[in-house]
Amino acid sequence: QGPFRDALIRRWGGCSVTGCGAHELLIASHIKPWSKCSTPAERLGAANGLLLTPNLDKLFDHGLVTFDAKFKIRLSPRLRPGDAMHMNVHQSLRLTLRADKDMLPFLEYHNTAVFQAA
């Protein structure tokens, strides 16, 4: 995942949500999972990736949070409010200004195939 991670660091600079710049702590996360990608461009393109703190990565990977077409966070109803609070996740979070429309097909996939909406 070296080239993918490097591309995400170049695109985001830090965490895609919090801006945390401690690169050694951040996780390169696919929006559309690697196993579901059909081309190398999908697997390795920065548009299909987020650089996340461990708590956000775990929630995103398990479909407990996602981001809408305006790059605002959505919390799954399966994420208990107390757990969200302990993970420091709340409704006012969003992707940073480096988010762009090239991500929208991947976010749509995550919203429909990974996110636990109910």
Side-chain angles (χ1 to χ4, degrees), residues 11-12 22 31 37 40 43 67 108 113:
R11 179 178 184 140
W12 295 102
I31 300 169
C37 293
R43 287 187 187 100
F67 298 92
E108 182 178 336

Side-chain angles (χ1 to χ4, degrees), residues 28-95:
S29 184
H30 283 85
I31 300 169
K32 181 178 182 181
W34 174 279
S35 63
K36 303 297 182 187
C37 293
S38 56
T39 67
E42 280 189 337
R43 287 187 187 100
L44 299 174
N48 185 24
L50 299 172
L51 201 55
L52 298 171
T53 57
N55 61 325
L56 286 167
D57 175 70
K58 188 63 84 171
L59 291 167
F60 187 76
D61 193 46
H62 287 279
L64 296 172
V65 300
T66 195
F67 298 92
D68 67 17
K70 294 186 178 183
F71 310 118
K72 293 180 181 179
I73 200 166
R74 291 179 58 206
L75 306 181
S76 169
R78 293 188 181 188
L79 179 60
R80 296 182 312 212
D83 291 336
M85 181 187 73
H86 289 300
M87 299 288 276
N88 199 27
V89 175
H90 46 84
Q91 292 287 354
S92 63
L93 294 176
R94 61 176 293 116
L95 296 174

Side-chain angles (χ1 to χ4, degrees), residues 1-11 28 30 34 40 43-47 49 51:
Q1 276 205 350
F4 179 68
R5 179 180 176 74
D6 292 344
L8 293 182
I9 290 171
R10 282 191 303 276
R11 179 178 184 140
H30 283 85
W34 174 279
R43 287 187 187 100
L44 299 174
L51 201 55

